[in-house]
Structures are given as structure tokens and as C-alpha cells.
């Protein structure tokens, strides 16, 4: 591992008050930026590389930096010096980084970061120095120092990345989606950002400016550490007199987690407190223990047990004479069944990088095989003590390279030649033409590869672009548990669930063909009939009652559990946001506004999924929000949120959800309930009904189109 | 094109016989059992022309089943019973003319040897001397077999009985005995025994309808009835037929293939190719060569008390922090969805790439034993047909058991294919090819090298042409396994030396050279310059990073505890090299099981942050 290949990086986060302002229906920039940082640090922690990280906050209530003097560099605090990131940092970010009430110049903050980087990397070797700036640019800054700053950045070789709440090119006078136009400060800031980035890298500078939402999406995926492919140099032989030097690489292989679980004592959590002990005992009634030294090795040969010492075995076993990639012969590609591939890997075989002659020779073989549609059947031995394999080497010609693709083929002992009853000759199974065409339309509606207008094929579901969900989930849980040791495991990340499902477009498209298919194959009993029947027979009509009882018990249990765990709640989580919200308000450990912001953040996150299940989860959140706001006597947060939510409904296609709010009569908080409210009770009600009318209109339109089929059916 | 064996031994006179054996998937649901009930009447010993006698063929078949059982399903029970003998040998000798040669038990080396002794002319002689040929009473023979099953104390999951005979009227028209045999056969079938007839060539043809149609079990499907009617004249055919029957198809999972909400097709998942491995060694007690049992215990190092699994938790360490989970949580993290196959959509076949391979494919076929079998099979057949015609595969999410993370499968349609003898070559169903995730695909940096000219490619084509053969997946035996079992056989039977195995994976270099003639030299002249030696060692090149870092062995550096603690606190233990870390472990008496860097770091961190 190259030791110098590490990066020093400073995260520079704007915590100024403007970062808490959000456009209606959107998460405040502060929360977004915090998420970016969390995801990023989390990824660094699990990657376990040597990169060092610092954190600088600006707009903070306190001032803590080397440059602060008199009234200069105020409200900028170096939260953490350069260090390898760890869980403490993650906890600090989660618990201690809150929006401040001040403002600070982002250019000043940049200077503090540069100072930090330069001081702490002095005398050490780093591959890259980088500053990541997360801000809404909503502070007036003085551009007079800009040139000096740029000059210093260049001299020190420091690179810059910007993360903004809005896209860099969508700025100007056009309001970005969400509604609010950029302020004058922001426009000025954006110009300066552009200037800095362009002068650092004229061509691609602006590509290093990202939006928060983009970044969150990309950082959600835990990237696994790239393994350096191991070269396997060998010689391909054809007979005794033709040899070609080759190098093989594993190209496809199931990636395993790097770390495994170790067993510890449940109380002390110490590995050393547990010892695993293996004892041998005779197969008699007393289970007489015998010493390991008194045992010998043997094998079963059917009913026989054959003592066979390790020494004898080594002497008598099959031996190979070292690594080999020997061609046994050539056969047609069509003779090789791909479902008979065995083994757990695919090798790609190239000529050595610096050997042109081997390259030409191998190319000759690859092209000959490709033209003839044939493969080489080869004997493959990895190393002297490796077992021989027989496999197929397929020709593979790409635009940029040529290679052989090697896959292992089965031995006779590996095959199970099952025969299955024919499906063709059996009348019972033979589908009708009608049924076949129903299947055809299902296939049509569910094609995942589409051609767009320009004839370019687009694959809607690329498995080889999905990260292994097992590890994504594992890291998510590890992170959660590391930071919240006593909390239950978090639910699956919604993006992961979505990534593993039928793409939305396909799911919608196949609805009608599926219905037809159901009608054409009318036998519906798919569930194991027997079981269902018996349970019904057994319980008869009384089934409903115990169910209801059970639900009640469950509810109580839930409530108790909530009480027990509430002590550890420090933020509004995603499992039960309403409960967390209630608890936090009661605890008064955080300011009311902050908690409200966290809750609305969660609601927005849930609504982002556009799914009825998530909508259902949101309703109690809003109910609790309202209820607690009335109790606390502060209606501002609730009312402004509901108002902004309402305006964003049509844009975000959330009519369905709004409908649910109307049904539950979640009106604005009126004057009678809370003094500070500006709404009369009539206003509050009006507010909802206005939405309802619009709703009906939309619904009616939808209904109209839906009727056509029904009408036809009736005729 | 020549087949592998012919091609491999071009100069030898090839006898086209290959031993046909196949593996069986054993699950702990119970033992499989198989009884060979072999006719020992005079007719069985009469060979026609050059063909071996029906008895000889049967013995060869039995032998190959014995050896294949030993290798691939060593828990299965096998018995060999003769009927129509002169002598009788069975418990209490209550059944006349029935000779139990091998009781229902695991086959072993001795038994293989026994059966060998019954082969060929000498074998016929031995059989004549020990058993002789006499009266036939199939009813008694079947009764005797049913006792074999009932005497077994183990749980039997699959019971099969194969009758080998060349006589279509065993009792020569004695209707009383016919009736008795039919009754006994139906008794057996009622207890779950499947009876197959392996009828052999008989002059004048074998008429199943005369008697045996009432004895054997009904076939699995209608179509099979027709092809079962022809008697076997050749050993190869008989072996094929026995092999197809001898193995119980076992599915690794029974699942629903979900096409969409409310459209579930019950399917079984089978494995048709899986690497057979050498079985694990067992420990024997030195004094009596009896197997010993191993017991694993967990105990507390401080208190010495035994620990239950519930007294433990699981941890992983990241960035110096121990992350603790319950065993159940570790399991439940792997749960994504309930077991099943969920259809995502369809893709044209060309989207399935050659390198999409992670492990052996599975085979998907409608579940036969479910109530809804017919309906499922119908939907399944329709899907199979249309996918096949339209050359598309179905992309599915596959969750095998409750806590297994999902994998994506490409379901590739396969239409049924039969050979001239109506034997199935390809079964109808879908092959499920495992598709790699992003993590499973490694990025390789490739460099562009010069490509071959047309004349060079043409010369290679000549070479390829000379070395063509017809690949068959069952042509190669695993030399490692074969050698292992030959060794065991030799030891079990006290042979001087194990039987020689032929390593079919070795290239037959002489034959290849001969076929190529001057072609190899011509190709070399075309691609290699005169001074180039393709077999020469490439200068050992190390990666530049390694060369800079660790080629020279550093002298041992003893590190002070403070220094080390400093490293632990800063979390930069990773900067130290593995040898230094190992030394440090020794120095502080930290026990490490692994040698991976991370393990060393974890161990040290754990020790020093106590």
C-alpha cells in the first residue's frame, strides 16, 4: 500500500442563520449540508483509509481559530483539527453541530481553512490537500482579497469543492425549483465562487461545484475499497512447441466482506473472555474423552472407515507440476452450455503489458477463435498445490483490448443429470393461444431495455450498477449501532429498497397486462390451500376477536417500549419520528425550533418517497406536530410549514397525501387555540376546503379517463 | 469432430464406454434407498452374439451405481437381491428362491469387490455355484424386499426398487403366482416404494403388458410411458436408464415465482452442476480405529463456566470502536424480503454477457407436489415458450431462505430436447444465471497491444482446425477425486497399490504435436522474432510501490509501549508494517489468530485501550 497516497481535507460548514431558512416544502440547507457531511465522514470511517479530516464551522456563535484578532475572523470555529475520522467525529456532528445565530464571511472561513491545512500538514507528505465548502453563500463578503486568496490556493496546491443548495448554472434571476429567488448576496457569492473555481481550473472548475441533494444521493452508497487485481503470470501452451506468455486477472468474483464478526462475552464485550474448546470423545455411553494426540485421521469409503494418515495422504494424493494453462483442444462455442459453468470466478487473460510479441500471438489465437466461433478447452492449474480444472477460454474482442475469458467447466462428478417430465406433451399444461398472447403482452410491458428516439438503447435495471445490498445494509446498521449503541437497528434505507424493486415505469406499465393475465389463467388458489383451510376450519368465526385483542396488546407493548427507550433519544429519527418529536419537546434539551425543523425534515424525507406507506407514516407526525405546537403555544412553525406544504402540493404531485390531511382535518392552528396565531378559526377551515375543491377537480379528471374502459365493458 | 476420449487417445483403440456416474444432492431429510432385484434365471446368463449377457450387464450397472454412491452420496443405502435362484438366503430363510446378496446398507469397498466377482464369464460361474437358478416366485421376492425396508431403523426419504429381468412372464403363466406378485407389489407401492422395471433384451421381444405393467409404478408423466416400452440391449442404454431413475431429484428450495401481485407460480429450484469435493477427514481413536465425536464448548476464561450461545454477542471493530450486535441482529440484517423469486422484467438475450458468472446456475421447474401444480405448470409453460421464442430472459430477484440477501438471476429459457432414443438431453425449464453486483466486478487496467495480421490469424485457424474435438461435459473425470477414492479403495481392500487413474485433464502432447506437424513452427515464425523465447522467464518485476516500500527487510524495531499507545490513540496504527505490528503483538502478549493487518491492528487496539 502506498503510504503517501493520503489526502488532507477540511470540511468547511456554514452554520449561519440563513442556512436554516428553507424554501416552502424543502429541507433547510443546513440539514442538507449536515447530511452531506455525515454521509461523507461515515464513508471515510468504514473505508478505513489514512485520509485525515478537519472540520471548520462558520457563522457559529463562538469564535475559535488561530487568525482571530480584534474584530477579524469572528464567528469562525475550528471544530476539529486534522485527524483520521472516527465515530467521535460522527457523534459530534450529530449532536453538537447546530445552526448558529450569526453570520460569517465565507471567504474568511476559507482563509482559516487554508491556514489550518498549511499548519498541520507541515513536514508531512500528502497526495492531495482539499477544502470542501458547504454554504448557501448568503453572506456579504469582501471581494478585495480574492486575488490574493486564489494565488495562495494555487501556490499551496490546495483544491476546492463547493456544495451549494442551488445549482451553479441555474442561478441568476430565475428562481430555482422550490420557489425562492437568489438573494443579492447569493448572486454576488455565486459570481465569486465561479471566479475562484475557474481560476483554479479553467476548464473543469465548475464541475467541482455540487448541489446538496446530488451529493446526498451519491454519498448514500457505501463504496467498497477497491482491491488491486492480482496478476497471474503463466504460459499458454498448445502442444509442446507453441507457447504464449499470458497474464490472468480475476475479472468477476463474488466480493466478500473484509471483516467478519467475532464472538464476545455478552456482559463484558471482551473477546478474550471467551474460549472455544474442542474435545473428542468415544461413541460410548460414558462419552469417554480422549486426547487429541490419541486420534488419527481417516475417511469414509461408503460403509468402510479407512484410516489414512496425513503423511500417507500427501504422498499418495494427486500432484500437479505447477501452474498451467494448457490447451487440450478446440471445440465449437455452441458445445459449451453456459448454465454448466462452475467455479466462482471469471478470469480475463491478456498478454503481458510490455510484451508485444506475446500480444500478437495471443491476438492471433483470439481472432482465429472469434472467426471460427470456437473456444479453447484448457487445463488450468493455479499453482503447484492447486487442483487442476478444465475450463473454456472464450475469445473476447473489445474496442480497447482483446483477451480470453476463462470459465471453469464441470467434471463428470459435478453433474446431476436430472430428467424432468416434459411440459410440451402434456395436455394439462399446454397453454392456449389466448394465454400465450397474454404472456406476450406482459413481456412487452416489462421489457427493461428500451430504445429512445435516437435509437440508443437504455437499460432500466442494470444489476451490475447496483452495489451489493448486503453490504450497504450492513454498513448502515454498523454506523447506526456505533453512534446509537442502545437503539434498535434502523429500517432499511428507502433508496436501497427502491433500487431492488421493479422500476416504477415498468411497474406502472405492466399493471393492465398483469390483470389480463390473471383473467386468462383463472385458477387463483396459489397459496397452500390446505393450511388456509385448516386454520379457518379450526377457528371458524371467532378469528376476528383474538386478532383484535392481539392488536391491542401489541399497541400497549409498543407504548411501554417507547417509554423505556426514550431516554436515549437525541434527535428525530426515522423509525418513529412522531414519538421522538414528542419526547424531545418534553425533554426540552433542544430549542423548539430546532426540533420542529428536524421533524419537518423527516416528513419531507418520507414524502419524497411518493408511496402510500410513507404517507401513512407522515400523518401521525403532522398530528403530533400540531398537538405539541398547541400545547407549547407556538403556532408559527406549524402554520408556516403547513402553508408551504400546501403550495408545494401540485408541483410535487402529493395530492393524495393532502387528501389524507383534509380527511383528518389537520387545519391551521387558529387564534382560539394559540394566541400568537394570525388565523381565525374560519380562515383555518377555509384553508383546507380551498385545497379540497382543487382536489376534486383533479380527481374528476382522473375518473373520467378511467371510465372509458368501463363504458366499453358495459356495451 | 472427435469426442474427447477418442481425441485424447487417438492412437489407442478406443472402447467408447465411459463410466456414467452422477452426483446426488443429499439433504438431511432422510436416507435414500435403492434395492436391485435381479432375475437369476438361466435366461439371464445367455448372451447374444458378442454382447455381454443380461446378467453381466446388470452387474456392471450395479457396480457403477455402488461406486458413484460412494463418491457422491455416501449416505444412501443400497441392497442387491436375486430371485429365481436355486439356493435361498434371507433372514429365517422363510422365502424360497430368494437370495439376499447384500443387505440394505451403505455400499463399501468389499461390496464393490463382491459385485466385481459376479462379472464376466467367471462371475456367471460363481453365481451358478453360490446361488444357481431355480423356481421363480416374484411375490415372495417382493415380500422379502419389503422386509428389508421395514428392518431399517433409519428414516428413509426415498425408496426405490429396480427389477432387472429379461423374462416378461416370470411365472410361466401361473396365474396364482402372478396374482400374488401383483398384490405384494401394490402393498409395496402403498408404503411409498417406487418400482421400476429395467427390462433387458429377450429374443422375440419383451412384452410389458403381459405382466409387468401391473407391477411397476405409474410413470411421472404421460409421455414417459412410450419410451419405457423398449427393452435395453446395450449396457450404455441400461446405465443411462438406471442413472436417470437412481437419483432422486431434490430441490434446494420450493418458492413462488411472483410475476406481479397475486400472480404466483410455485416452482422448485434445483442444482444441476455443483463442484464435487473431497469429503472432510474424520477423526478416529488410535486404539480401535473407531470414529470419535467432537464436542465444541464455549466457556468463560475468567470464571471457567460454560457459556450458552445466548451468553455471547457479536462485534466488529471500525475506527477503534467496537460495534456490538446480538446474534439475531446479525442474522436479521441479512433479511431483505421473504423467500421467493420476484420478476423484475425481461431483457433481450444479448444483454446476458459471458462474464456474468459467479457460481453454478440453478434450474427452475414447476413444483410438482403442490396442490396447484397444474395451474402453475401451465403459466410456467406459457412463460417458457414465449421467452424462448422471443429470445428474452426474465430478470428476477432471488431470495433463497429467510435471511439470505437477494441476488439477481437471469432466467434463461431452455426447451426440452430428446435424443434419438427418446432420452431427455435437455429438460424443459429456466436456468437461473447469477448476475454480479457492482462490487463483484473488478476494474482491470488494460493496455492496447498490437493485434495479429490476417496471415497470422489464418495460420492459427489451421492450428485450431487440427485440434478440434467434440466437447462433452461428462467427458472429464476429476483426477484429484478419482485418485483419492482409488487410494481409499486400495487401503480398504489391502491392495498393494491403488488402481491407476488416467488423468484426462492432461493434454496429450504427443498426439497434438503429431497433428500440428510443422504448423506450430510456422506460426512461431510468423509472430515471434528469432531471438524471442516465449517460455523464458520474465524478469521478476515488482510493483513500483512495493519496490519503494517493503523489499528490504527492516531490522526489528522494538517499540516502547508509550509509542504504541500514541499510535493507538491517534488511530494511525495502520501506518506501521505488518512485521512491526506482529512484533508489537508478541511484545505485549496479544494473541492473534489471523495474520491480516486489520486483525493485528484490532487486536492491539483492543489490548491497549482496555
Amino acid at each position: 500500500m502506498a503510504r503517501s497516497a493520503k489526502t488532507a481535507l477540511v470540511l468547511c460548514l456554514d452554520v449561519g442563520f440563513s442556512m436554516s431558512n428553507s424554501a416552502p416544502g424543502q429541507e433547510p440547507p443546513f440539514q442538507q449540508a449536515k447530511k452531506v457531511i455525515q454521509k461523507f465522514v461515515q464513508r471515510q470511517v468504514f473505508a478505513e483509509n489514512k485520509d485525515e479530516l478537519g472540520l471548520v464551522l462558520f457563522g457559529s456563535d463562538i469564535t475559535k481559530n488561530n487568525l482571530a484578532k480584534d474584530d477579524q475572523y469572528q464567528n469562525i470555529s475550528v471544530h476539529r483539527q486534522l485527524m483520521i475520522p472516527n465515530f467521535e467525529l460522527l457523534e459530534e456532528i450529530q449532536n453538537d453541530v447546530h445552526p448558529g445565530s450569526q453570520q460569517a464571511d465565507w471567504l474568511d472561513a476559507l482563509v482559516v481553512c487554508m491556514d489550518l491545512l498549511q499548519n498541520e500538514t507541515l513536514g508531512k507528505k500528502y497526495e492531495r490537500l482539499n477544502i470542501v465548502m458547504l454554504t448557501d453563500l448568503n453572506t456579504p463578503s469582501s471581494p478585495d482579497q480574492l486575488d490574493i486568496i486564489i494565488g495562495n490556493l494555487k501556490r499551496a496546491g490546495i483544491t476546492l469543492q463547493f456544495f451549494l443548495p442551488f445549482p451553479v448554472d441555474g442561478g441568476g434571476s430565475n428562481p430555482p425549483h422550490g420557489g425562492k429567488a437568489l438573494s443579492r448576496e447569493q448572486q454576488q457569492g455565486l459570481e465569486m465562487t465561479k471566479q475562484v473555481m475557474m481560476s483554479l481550473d479553467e476548464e473543469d472548475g465548475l464541475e467541482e461545484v455540487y448541489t446538496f441533494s446530488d451529493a446526498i444521493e451519491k454519498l448514500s452508497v457505501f463504496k467498497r475499497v477497491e482491491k488491486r487485481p492480482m496478476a497471474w503470470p503463466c504460459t499458454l501452451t498448445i502442444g509442446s512447441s507453441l507457447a504464449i506468455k499470458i497474464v490472468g486477472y480475476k475479472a468477476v468474483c463474488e466480493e466478500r466482506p473484509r471483516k467478519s464478526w467475532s464472538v464476545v462475552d455478552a456482559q463484558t464485550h471482551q473477546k478474550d473472555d471467551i474460549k472455544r474448546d474442542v474435545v473428542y470423545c468415544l461413541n460410548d455411553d460414558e462419552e469417554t474423552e480422549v486426547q487429541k494426540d490419541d486420534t488419527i485421521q481417516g475417511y469414509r469409503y461408503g460403509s468402510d472407515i479407512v484410516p489414512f494418515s496425513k503423511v500417507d495422504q500427501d504422498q499418495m494424493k494427486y500432484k500437479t507440476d505447477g501452474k498451467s494453462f494448457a490447451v487440450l483442444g478446440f471445440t465449437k462455442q455452441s458445445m459449451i452450455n453456459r448454465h454448466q459453468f462452475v467455479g466462482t470466478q471469471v478470469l480475463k487473460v491478456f498478454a503481458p503489458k510490455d510484451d508485444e510479441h506475446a500480444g500478437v500471438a495471443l491476438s492471433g489465437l483470439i481472432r482465429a477463435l472469434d472467426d471460427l466461433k470456437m473456444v479453447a478447452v484448457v487445463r488450468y492449474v493455479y499453482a503447484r498445490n492447486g487442483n487442476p480444472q478444465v475450463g473454456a477460454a472464450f475469445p473476447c474482442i473489445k474496442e480497447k483490448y482483446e483477451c480470453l475469458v476463462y470459465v471453469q467447466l464441470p467434471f463428470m462428478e459435478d453433474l446431476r443429470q436430472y430428467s424432468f417430465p416434459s411440459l410440451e406433451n402434456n395436455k394439462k399444461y399446454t397453454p392456449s393461444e389466448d394465454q400465450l398472447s397474454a404472456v406476450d403482452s406482459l413481456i412487452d410491458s416489462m421489457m427493461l431495455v428500451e430504445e429512445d428516439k435516437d435509437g440508443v438503447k437504455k437499460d432500466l435495471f442494470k444489476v451490475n450498477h447496483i452495489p451489493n445490498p448486503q453490504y450497504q445494509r450492513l454498513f448502515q446498521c454498523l454506523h447506526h449501532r456505533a453512534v446509537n449503541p442502545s437503539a434498535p437497528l434502523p429500517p432499511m434505507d428507502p433508496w436501497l429498497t427502491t433500487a431492488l424493486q421493479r422500476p416504477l415505469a415498468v411497474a406502472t406499465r405492466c399493471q393492465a397486462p398483469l390483470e389480463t393475465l390473471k383473467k386468462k389463467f383463472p385458477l387463483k388458489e396459489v397459496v397452500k390451500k390446505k393450511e388456509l383451510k385448516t386454520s379457518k376450519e379450526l377457528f371458524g368465526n371467532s378469528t376476528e376477536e383474538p386478532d383484535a385483542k392481539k392488536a391491542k396488546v401489541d399497541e400497549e407493548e409498543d407504548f411501554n417500549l417507547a417509554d423505556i427507550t426514550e431516554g436515549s433519544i437525541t434527535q428525530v429519527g426515522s423509525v418513529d419520528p412522531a414519538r421522538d418529536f414528542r419526547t424531545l419537546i418534553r425533554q426540552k434539551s433542544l430549542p423548539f425550533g430546532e426540533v420542529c425543523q428536524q421533524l419537518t425534515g423527516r416528513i419531507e424525507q418520507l414524502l419524497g418517497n411518493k408511496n402510500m406507506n410513507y404517507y401513512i407514516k407522515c400523518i401521525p407526525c403532522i398530528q403530533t406536530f400540531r398537538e405539541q405546537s398547541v400545547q407549547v403555544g407556538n403556532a408559527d412553525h406549524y402554520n408556516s410549514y403547513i402553508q408551504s406544504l400546501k403550495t408545494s402540493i401540485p408541483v410535487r404531485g402529493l395530492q393524495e397525501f393532502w387528501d389524507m390531511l383534509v380527511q383528518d382535518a389537520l387545519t391551521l392552528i387558529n387564534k382560539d387555540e394559540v394566541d400568537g396565531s394570525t388565523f381565525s378559526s374560519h380562515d383555518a377551515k377555509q384553508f383546507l376546503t380551498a385545497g379540497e375543491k382543487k382536489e376534486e377537480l383533479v380527481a374528476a379528471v382522473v375518473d373520467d379517463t378511467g371510465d372509458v374502459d368501463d363504458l366499453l365493458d358495459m356495451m | 469432430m472427435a469426442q474427447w476420449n477418442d481425441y485424447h487417445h487417438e492412437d489407442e483403440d478406443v472402447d467408447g464406454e465411459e463410466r456414467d456416474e452422477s452426483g446426488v444432492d443429499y439433504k438431511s431429510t432422510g436416507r435414500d434407498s435403492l434395492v436391485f432385484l435381479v432375475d437369476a434365471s438361466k435366461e439371464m446368463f445367455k448372451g447374444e452374439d458378442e454382447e455381454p449377457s443380461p446378467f453381466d450387464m446388470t452387474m456392471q450397472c450395479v457396480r457403477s451405481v455402488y461406486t458413484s454412491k460412494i463418491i457422491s452420496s455416501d449416505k444412501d443405502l443400497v441392497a442387491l437381491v436375486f430371485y429365481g435362484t436355486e439356493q435361498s438366503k434371507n433372514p429365517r430363510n422363510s422365502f424360497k428362491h430368494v437370495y439376499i446378496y447384500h443387505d440394505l446398507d451403505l455400499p463399501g469397498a468389499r461390496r464393490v469387490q463382491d459385485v466385481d466377482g459376479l462379472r464376466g464369464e467367471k462371475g456367471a460361474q460363481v453365481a451358478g455355484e453360490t446361488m444357481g437358478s431355480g423356481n421363480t416366485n416374484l411375490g415372495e421376492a417382493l415380500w422379502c424386499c419389503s422386509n428389508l425396508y421395514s428392518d431399517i431403523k433409519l428414516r428413509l426419504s426415498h425408496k426405490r426398487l429396480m427389477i432387472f429381468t429379461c423374462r416378461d412372464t416370470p411365472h410361466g403363466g401361473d396365474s396364482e403366482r402372478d396374482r400374488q406378485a401383483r398384490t405384494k407389489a401394490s402393498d409395496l407401492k402403498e408404503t411409498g416404494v417406487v418400482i421400476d422395471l429395467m427390462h433387458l433384451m429377450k429374443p422375440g421381444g419383451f412384452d410389458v403388458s403381459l405382466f409387468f405393467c401391473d407391477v411397476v409404478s405409474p410413470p411421472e408423466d404421460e409421455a414417459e410411458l412410450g419410451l419405457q416400452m423398449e427393452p435395453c440391449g446395450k449396457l450404455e442404454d441400461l446405465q443411462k436408464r438406471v442413472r436417470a431413475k437412481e437419483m432422486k431429484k431434490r430441490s434446494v428450495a420450493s418458492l413462488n415465482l411472483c410475476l406481479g401481485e397475486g400472480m404466483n407460480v410455485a416452482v422448485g429450484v434445483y442444482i444441476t452442476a455443483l463442484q464435487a469435493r473431497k469429503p472432510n477427514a474424520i477423526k478416529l481413536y488410535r486404539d480401535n480405529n473407531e470414529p470419535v465425536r467432537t464436542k465444541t464448548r464455549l466457556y468463560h476464561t475468567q470464571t471457567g463456566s460454560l457459556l450458552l450461545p445466548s451468553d455471547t454477542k457479536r462485534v466488529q471493530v471500525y475506527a477503534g470502536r467496537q460495534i456490538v450486535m446480538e446474534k439475531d441482529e446479525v442474522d436479521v440484517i441479512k433479511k431483505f424480503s421473504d423467500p421467493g423469486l420476484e420478476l423484475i422484467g425481461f431483457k433481450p438475450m444479448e444483454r446476458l454477457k459471458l462474464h456474468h458468472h459467479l457460481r453454478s446456475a440453478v434450474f427452475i421447474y414447476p413444483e410438482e407436489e403442490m396442490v396447484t401444480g397444474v395451474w402453475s405448470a401451465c403459466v410456467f409453460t406459457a412463460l417458457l415458450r414465449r421467452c424462448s421464442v422471443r429470445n428474452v430472459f426474465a430478470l428476477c430477484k432471488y431470495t433463497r431462505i429467510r435471511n439470505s440477501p437477494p441476488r439477481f438471476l437471469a432466467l434463461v429459457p431452455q426447451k426440452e430436447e430428446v435424443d434419438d432414443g427418446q432420452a431427455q438431453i435437455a429438460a424443459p425449464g429456466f436456468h437461473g444465471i447469477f448476475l454480479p453486483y457492482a462490487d463483484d466486478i473488478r476494474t482491470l487496467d488494460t493496455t492496447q497491444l498490437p493485434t495479429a495480421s490476417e496471415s497470422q490469424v489464418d495460420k492459427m485457424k489451421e492450428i485450431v482446425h487440427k485440434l478440434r474435438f467434440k466437447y462433452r461435459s461428462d467427458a472429464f473425470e476429476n483426477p484429484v477425486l478419482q485418485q483419492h477414492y482409488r487410494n481409499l479403495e486400495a487401503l480398504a481392500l489391502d491392495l498393494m497399490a491403488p488402481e491407476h487413474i488416467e488423468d484426462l485433464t492432461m493434454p496429450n502432447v504427443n498426439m497434438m504435436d503429431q497433428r500440428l506437424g510443422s504448423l506450430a513452427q510456422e506460426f512461431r515464425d510468423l509472430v515471434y522474432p528469432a531471438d524471442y523465447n516465449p517460455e523464458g522467464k520474465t524478469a521478476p518485476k515488482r510493483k513500483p510501490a512495493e519496490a519503494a516500500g517493503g523489499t528490504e527487510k527492516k531490522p526489528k524495531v522494538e517499540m516502547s509501549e508509550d509509542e504504541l499507545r500514541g499510535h493507538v490513540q491517534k488511530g494511525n496504527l495502520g501506518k506501521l508494517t505488518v512485521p512491526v505490528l506482529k512484533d508489537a503483538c508478541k511484545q505485549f502478549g496479544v494473541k492473534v489468530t489471523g495474520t491480516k493487518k486489520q486483525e493485528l491492528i484490532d487486536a492491539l487496539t483492543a489490548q491497549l485501550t482496555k
Side-chain angles (χ1 to χ4, degrees), chain A residues 8 22 48 81 106 165-166 228 235 340 343 375 389 436 511 541 543 586 662 684 702:
Chain A
S22 63
E48 298 205 299
Q81 313 278 350
W106 62 270
F166 41 81
R228 230 196 154 69
T235 311
Q340 286 190 330
V375 294
Q389 299 176 3
L436 286 174
Q511 278 314 319
N541 292 330
T543 37
R586 209 179 320 152
V662 174
V702 173

Side-chain angles (χ1 to χ4, degrees), chain B residues 232-249:
Chain B
C232 293
K234 284 208 178 82
L235 177 66
E236 211 180 311
D237 293 343
L238 181 65
Q239 283 184 327
K240 213 184 271 175
R241 198 174 285 183
V242 170
R243 191 189 56 204
K245 290 281 178 186
E246 167 250 308
M247 286 182 302
K248 166 80 179 142
K249 293 189 288 267

Side-chain angles (χ1 to χ4, degrees), chain A residues 240-241 259 287 318 468 525, chain B residues 293 317 372 503 513 524:
Chain A
S240 67
S241 54
K259 287 191 173 176
E287 299 202 323
Y318 178 90
N468 190 337
E525 291 294 325
Chain B
R293 291 197 301 135
V317 180
T372 52
D503 187 353
D513 287 349
R524 284 209 315 260

Side-chain angles (χ1 to χ4, degrees), chain A residues 57-288:
Chain A
L57 307 175
F58 66 102
S60 55
D61 295 346
I62 56 161
T63 302
K64 192 182 118 196
N65 67 72
N66 289 339
L67 305 177
K69 218 167 97 192
D70 305 329
D71 60 339
Q72 283 203 306
Y73 297 105
Q74 291 303 301
N75 301 107
I76 299 174
S77 108
V78 176
H79 192 85
R80 195 180 171 121
Q81 313 278 350
L82 274 188
M83 256 168 98
I84 292 179
N86 50 20
F87 287 105
E88 283 74 31
L89 177 60
L90 274 174
E91 280 166 339
E92 282 168 31
I93 294 172
Q94 182 180 303
N95 302 329
D96 306 343
V97 175
H98 300 300
S101 52
Q102 304 293 321
Q103 288 278 56
D105 182 351
W106 62 270
L107 272 181
D108 283 351
L110 185 59
V111 175
V112 170
C113 292
M114 287 162 65
D115 175 66
L116 180 73
L117 263 184
Q118 277 173 324
N119 282 337
E120 297 207 13
T121 57
L122 210 64
K124 288 192 247 169
K125 247 175 107 179
Y126 292 87
E127 194 191 41
R128 197 171 152 221
L129 303 176
N130 193 25
I131 296 172
V132 176
M133 181 69 81
L134 302 106
T135 174
D136 61 354
L137 298 173
N138 217 345
T139 43
S141 47
S142 44
D144 35 313
Q145 300 284 314
L146 204 55
D147 288 339
I148 303 169
I149 293 175
I150 291 171
N152 278 334
L153 279 172
K154 275 186 180 167
R155 208 168 312 121
I158 296 174
T159 52
L160 253 183
Q161 282 172 315
F162 273 87
F163 290 82
L164 308 175
F166 41 81
V168 64
D169 40 11
S173 52
N174 301 329
H177 76 104
K180 218 153 89 181
L182 295 184
S183 66
R184 202 174 52 79
E185 288 83 10
Q186 281 174 320
Q187 285 178 35
Q188 186 207 3
L190 199 55
E191 281 317 306
M192 291 200 318
T193 308
K194 281 183 189 170
Q195 195 184 339
V196 175
M197 296 311 282
M198 300 283 263
S199 50
L200 286 179
D201 183 344
E202 213 169 304
E203 279 179 15
D204 303 322
L206 290 184
E207 284 178 17
E208 294 295 321
V209 183
Y210 306 90
T211 63
F212 290 151
S213 48
D214 268 3
I216 292 170
E217 214 164 277
K218 283 190 191 125
L219 287 167
S220 289
V221 180
F222 282 98
K223 223 177 144 191
R224 294 181 51 75
V225 189
E226 286 260 317
K227 267 194 193 158
R228 230 196 154 69
M230 273 274 284
W232 179 75
C234 190
T235 311
L236 181 151
T237 58
I238 305 174
S240 67
S241 54
L242 191 52
I244 304 172
K245 270 189 222 168
I246 51 162
V247 183
Y249 294 95
K250 255 185 207 180
V252 180
C253 179
E254 207 167 316
E255 196 63 51
R256 306 259 167 212
R258 244 175 354 142
K259 287 191 173 176
S260 54
W261 294 97
S262 40
V263 181
V264 297
D265 182 70
Q267 251 81 57
T268 60
H269 293 182
Q270 289 296 321
K271 214 191 313 191
D272 295 342
D273 284 346
I274 286 189
K275 216 180 154 204
R276 186 182 295 272
D277 191 27
V278 180
V279 290
Y280 302 94
C281 55
L282 296 180
N283 227 342
D284 53 15
D285 292 340
E286 288 85 40
E287 299 202 323
T288 322

